[in-house]
């Protein structure tokens, strides 16, 4: 019964917020407060019935706060969108992906990201054809080349340390999730890492730490064919990272932006289907 109530609140959240976002391009705070209060009452009821703290919901809430704060700080999301993401993460029960992504907030973010990317593909293709000359000039511009060089350098540093850890956690085999984690780390630490690498000691420490982690967690990396695959993947990640940032900024700054509340609702629904596992398997192949 409690699970049904959770899904009922999710459906109500989706209907209310999607309606106001379509009609007025905003998510109303009074709706969010009411729905969060309902979710809080539900968690308190679970506590009294099961005699256990709702640590699962609280951990998802904590992760959602971190993600939404970052996205709001980077101006990827509006304040209402960030608060709605937090609300969904708090309301969502277990998704079934806990061995891969331990809390619903991560599953919601991943599914919403994928759904948004798929929905944007027609618009991206249309703009690529319509503005092909402008896009070509931007691609070959000196500023773009410099940005890609910087991103490749940051990717090398971050992946050098994080990929052995992802391999140990059995996440590195899933290309999309590895890219998503690296993408977030790049955008969070880009300026700090770029400034730090001006000092040779920092580069030496990063290199030694990465070698140590790889020797311990993924020694197969030291076979030379794996080096070529790794370098090609890093360059591809850097190009995709810059492309995603460009598309995200253009969508965010657009007056005709896609309403985000329905997209989050879709991402929440997709979190309870085999879609995520299916897509990961396709990428892994």
């Amino acid at each position: 019964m409690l699970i049904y109530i959770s899904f009922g609140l999710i459906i109500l959240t989706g209907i209310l917020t999607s309606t106001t976002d379509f009609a007025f391009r905003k998510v109303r705070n009074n709706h969010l407060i009411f729905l969060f209060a309902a979710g809080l009452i539900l968690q308190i009821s679970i506590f009294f019935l099961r005699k256990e703290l709702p640590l699962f919901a609280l951990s998802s809430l904590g992760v959602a706060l971190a993600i939404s704060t970052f996205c709001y700080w980077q101006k990827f999301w509006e304040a209402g969108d960030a608060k709605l993401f937090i609300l969904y993460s708090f309301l969502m029960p277990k998704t079934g992906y806990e061995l891969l992504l331990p809390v619903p907030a991560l599953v919601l973010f991943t599914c919403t990201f994928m759904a948004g990317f798929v929905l944007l593909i027609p618009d991206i293709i249309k703009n690529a054809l319509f503005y092909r000359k402008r896009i070509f000039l931007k691609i070959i511009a000196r500023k773009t080349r410099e940005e890609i060089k910087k991103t490749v350098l940051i990717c090398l540093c971050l992946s050098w340390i994080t990929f052995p850890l992802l391999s140990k956690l059995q996440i590195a085999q899933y290309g999309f999730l590895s890219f998503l984690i690296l993408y977030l780390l790049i955008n969070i630490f880009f300026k700090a890492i770029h400034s730090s690498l001006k000092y040779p000691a920092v580069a030496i420490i990063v290199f030694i730490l990465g070698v140590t982690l790889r020797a311990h967690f993924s020694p197969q990396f030291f076979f030379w064919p794996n080096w070529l695959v790794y370098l090609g993947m890093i360059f591809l990640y850097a190009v995709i990272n810059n492309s995603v940032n460009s598309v995200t900024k253009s969508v965010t700054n657009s007056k005709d932006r896609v309403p985000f509340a329905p997209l989050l609702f879709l991402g929440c629904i997709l979190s309870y289907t085999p879609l995520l596992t299916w897509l990961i398997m396709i990428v892994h192949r």
Side-chain angles (χ1 to χ4, degrees):
M1 180 61 69
L2 294 174
I3 294 294
Y4 290 133
I5 293 173
S6 295
F7 282 118
L9 288 174
I10 288 172
I11 298 299
L12 181 59
T13 300
I15 293 172
L16 283 176
T17 58
S18 298
T19 301
T20 57
D21 203 6
F22 270 125
F24 308 108
R25 287 295 190 270
K26 66 183 299 184
V27 176
R28 298 191 183 279
N29 282 328
N30 57 342
H31 291 163
L32 297 179
I33 293 170
F34 166 76
L35 291 162
F36 186 82
L40 189 60
I41 292 170
L42 177 63
Q43 293 301 328
I44 292 172
S45 301
I46 292 173
F47 170 71
F48 282 109
L49 288 172
R50 298 180 180 175
K51 305 298 181 183
E52 59 184 30
L53 290 172
L55 296 178
F56 184 76
L58 293 175
S59 60
S60 184
L61 180 64
V63 173
L65 281 168
I67 293 174
S68 58
T69 300
F70 167 73
C71 290
Y72 177 71
W73 172 53
Q74 290 290 323
K75 298 181 179 178
F76 293 156
W77 293 352
E78 299 291 336
D81 299 331
K83 287 183 281 189
L84 181 58
F85 177 79
I86 293 170
L87 174 62
Y88 272 122
S89 300
F90 182 62
L91 293 177
M92 290 169 64
K94 292 184 177 181
T95 61
Y97 295 107
E98 280 68 36
L99 291 177
L100 183 62
L101 298 169
V103 291
L106 294 175
V107 183
L108 174 62
F109 183 81
T110 304
C111 289
T112 303
F113 187 92
M114 289 192 296
F117 181 74
V118 170
L119 291 175
L120 282 173
I121 285 176
D123 193 51
I124 292 172
I125 295 173
K126 182 189 73 175
N127 289 333
L129 293 174
F130 191 77
Y131 299 108
R132 56 186 180 276
K133 185 175 180 180
R134 185 188 302 176
I135 293 171
F136 176 74
L137 292 174
K138 186 175 181 179
I139 290 172
I140 64 174
R142 182 178 177 181
K143 183 179 179 182
T144 302
R145 294 199 303 271
E146 291 298 321
E147 287 178 352
I148 291 178
K149 285 180 185 177
K150 290 179 183 178
T151 308
V152 167
L153 182 62
I154 305 302
C155 273
L156 278 170
C157 293
L158 282 172
S159 63
W160 188 246
I161 295 173
T162 57
F163 274 21
L165 300 175
L166 295 179
S167 179
K168 176 64 176 177
L169 296 171
Q170 298 184 343
I171 295 177
Q173 57 183 317
Y174 303 116
F176 179 81
L177 288 179
S178 297
F179 166 73
L180 191 57
I181 292 169
L182 193 59
Y183 174 80
L184 291 173
L185 291 174
I186 288 171
N187 285 278
I188 292 171
F189 300 111
F190 188 94
K191 291 182 181 178
I193 295 175
H194 189 257
S195 301
S196 300
L197 287 176
K198 295 177 182 178
Y199 304 98
V202 175
I204 293 171
I205 291 171
V206 168
F207 178 76
I208 293 173
L209 182 59
V211 169
T212 304
L213 289 171
R214 288 174 184 278
H216 187 66
F217 293 131
S218 54
Q220 70 278 5
F221 171 79
F222 294 100
F223 293 103
W224 70 267
N226 294 334
W227 278 84
L228 297 178
V229 173
Y230 170 70
L231 292 175
M233 184 176 62
I234 292 304
F235 180 76
L236 181 62
Y237 273 28
V239 172
I240 294 174
N241 180 85
N242 284 18
S243 301
V244 170
N245 276 342
S246 299
V247 171
T248 303
K249 288 177 181 177
S250 65
V251 171
T252 303
N253 297 329
S254 174
K255 294 180 180 178
D256 299 323
R257 72 171 185 87
V258 177
F260 193 61
L263 194 58
L264 267 175
F265 187 33
L266 177 60
C268 189
I269 293 172
L270 294 177
S271 298
Y272 295 96
T273 69
L275 176 68
L276 183 58
T277 302
W278 181 65
L279 286 174
I280 289 172
M281 289 175 63
I282 289 177
V283 172
H284 182 49
R285 287 175 187 175

